[in-house]
Amino acid sequence: MRASVNRPPTPDGDEEKAAEPTLQEIINIKLIESGEKEKLKELLRERLIECGWKDEMKGYCRALTRKRGRADVTLDELIRTITPKGRSSVPDSVKAELLQRIRSFLLSAAL
Amino acid sequence: MEDQLLAEQAESIFLDLLDSTIIDVASEAHRAARLGFDPRLSIDEEGEYNLAMQARVSVGDFGANISKKSQHGMVDMFGQTHPAVASEIFECMSCNRKIMAGRFAPHLERCMGKGRRARSTTVDNKKADKGDIKMFQESFENITDKRLKLEVPSMANAHENVLTTKVEMKNRDRSVESVHKM
């Protein structure tokens, strides 16, 4: 038998095994491509600063920094510390506004 | 998209954005902690030297090696200083006089207003034909090295931008003539 006959299958065969992009991924791509993600991020940031949320988070960070020491505190620690606090202390109005905007986007993107 | 799926997706996107924001805040705080809230924490050698020199001057230390320029802090990153008025001398392409580079702009204001006239009104300016501007521009581009070659920005928006000074062309016929002489 010729060596060429025993070649492994060409890559084409492998492609079919790759998963279809999930709905989540499609949405994400549309968000980014349209520039809406950036705008939403800006909006969220603005609202969170206005209502003092950012200052609150920075307060927690400072407290942790004092505890661990300026040179020793790690970014990881900070993130882990303020994430639960951050998530739970977002004002309802801010959340509602963002959700509303996201929903409009999803509907308008004909998803 | 059905309501429930819509709500789920929206929620998930929101959380993603929120997490992103949280990370940013943490990064900022972390950086501030490491640097002590001081944007100039790392010692800026030359900056420090200049500041130190300035401090010496204010204290009246005559022994210190201070040059007038670095005293004012007008030293660029190569340690060079530049005189307040550019001193290179060249020839004006319009009137063929020797002009100091630093005095070129005011000179042109007068020179291009033809003869001794210092300024002209902008009304006449607007009447000027765009075609003339083009010739003017081309002549500028043909200037050889002895003369000051100025960056002429696009003439698309009226001649107000020429030479970045308020150069007005009072009598365009005259100026075209003088341009042709170049």
Side-chain angles (χ1 to χ4, degrees):
Chain A
M1 288 269 227
R2 292 201 195 137
S4 59
V5 177
N6 292 328
R7 243 175 10 166
T10 54
D12 276 353
D14 288 340
E15 246 173 58
E16 283 161 35
K17 294 182 203 159
E20 294 269 323
T22 63
L23 178 62
Q24 191 115 36
E25 285 168 355
I26 298 176
I27 292 176
N28 206 24
I29 290 172
K30 287 207 174 189
L31 265 175
I32 295 173
E33 282 181 355
S34 62
E36 185 68 9
K37 190 162 195 192
E38 197 61 39
K39 290 192 199 145
L40 288 168
K41 227 171 158 183
E42 280 307 307
L43 178 63
L44 180 60
R45 218 158 290 228
E46 209 182 300
R47 294 284 180 263
L48 290 177
I49 291 174
E50 283 170 2
C51 69
W53 175 95
K54 185 173 175 188
D55 294 322
E56 213 183 307
M57 294 303 116
K58 284 178 110 169
Y60 291 131
C61 291
R62 257 175 263 143
L64 187 67
T65 304
R66 260 176 254 134
K67 215 163 113 185
R68 298 261 188 275
R70 253 183 53 203
D72 297 323
V73 66
T74 67
L75 180 57
D76 226 33
E77 270 181 321
L78 286 170
I79 294 176
R80 259 182 277 136
T81 306
I82 64 172
T83 296
K85 301 198 182 118
R87 285 186 180 185
S88 60
S89 62
V90 176
D92 291 332
S93 57
V94 174
K95 184 166 179 183
E97 188 182 349
L98 267 293
L99 284 176
Q100 174 58 26
R101 185 120 171 211
I102 296 170
R103 272 199 298 262
S104 322
F105 173 80
L106 290 175
L107 289 169
S108 72
L111 284 165
Chain B
M1 202 150 88
E2 324 132 357
D3 280 347
Q4 209 219 333
L5 185 57
L6 186 71
E8 275 172 16
Q9 285 301 320
E11 182 80 23
S12 144
I13 293 170
F14 175 71
L15 282 177
D16 186 39
L17 290 171
L18 185 58
D19 281 344
S20 178
T21 308
I22 288 174
I23 291 176
D24 287 346
V25 174
S27 305
E28 250 180 76
H30 181 251
R31 186 171 178 274
R34 288 308 187 106
L35 300 181
F37 279 99
D38 184 4
R40 286 194 57 200
L41 188 76
S42 59
I43 296 176
D44 170 22
E45 293 281 8
E46 175 146 349
E48 287 281 58
Y49 184 78
N50 280 343
L51 288 172
M53 283 296 128
Q54 285 172 21
R56 282 184 187 246
V57 170
S58 55
V59 160
D61 179 356
F62 296 106
N65 183 18
I66 307 155
S67 87
K68 247 178 144 192
K69 286 292 167 174
S70 54
Q71 206 176 298
H72 291 295
M74 287 198 314
V75 185
D76 71 14
M77 51 181 258
F78 297 113
Q80 296 171 331
T81 53
H82 299 278
V85 179
S87 54
E88 183 172 321
I89 297 182
F90 67 100
E91 230 175 80
C92 170
M93 64 290 300
S94 182
C95 63
N96 293 319
R97 290 205 294 187
K98 297 266 190 263
I99 311 286
M100 246 182 66
R103 301 293 306 164
F104 187 60
H107 162 75
L108 265 189
E109 276 187 286
R110 286 184 278 276
C111 162
M112 300 247 293
K114 188 224 35 121
R116 294 288 141 98
R117 321 254 304 259
R119 294 281 187 98
S120 63
T121 61
T122 43
V123 177
D124 295 324
N125 194 16
K126 288 187 175 128
K127 286 195 203 148
D129 192 351
K130 288 245 169 116
D132 301 331
I133 311 298
K134 207 160 182 267
M135 281 188 274
F136 192 75
Q137 181 182 13
E138 279 164 3
S139 315
F140 254 106
E141 254 130 71
N142 294 335
I143 294 168
T144 54
D145 44 20
K146 254 271 170 158
R147 305 175 177 198
L148 185 67
K149 178 154 179 164
L150 297 163
E151 284 290 286
V152 182
S154 82
M155 295 290 199
N157 37 333
H159 23 276
E160 277 108 35
N161 284 339
V162 175
L163 306 169
T164 71
T165 61
K166 290 192 281 254
V167 175
E168 272 119 32
M169 293 167 76
K170 170 83 177 165
N171 295 312
R172 58 186 158 99
D173 295 336
R174 302 265 195 121
S175 33
V176 168
E177 261 179 69
S178 59
V179 156
H180 275 305
K181 275 183 202 150
M182 292 191 241

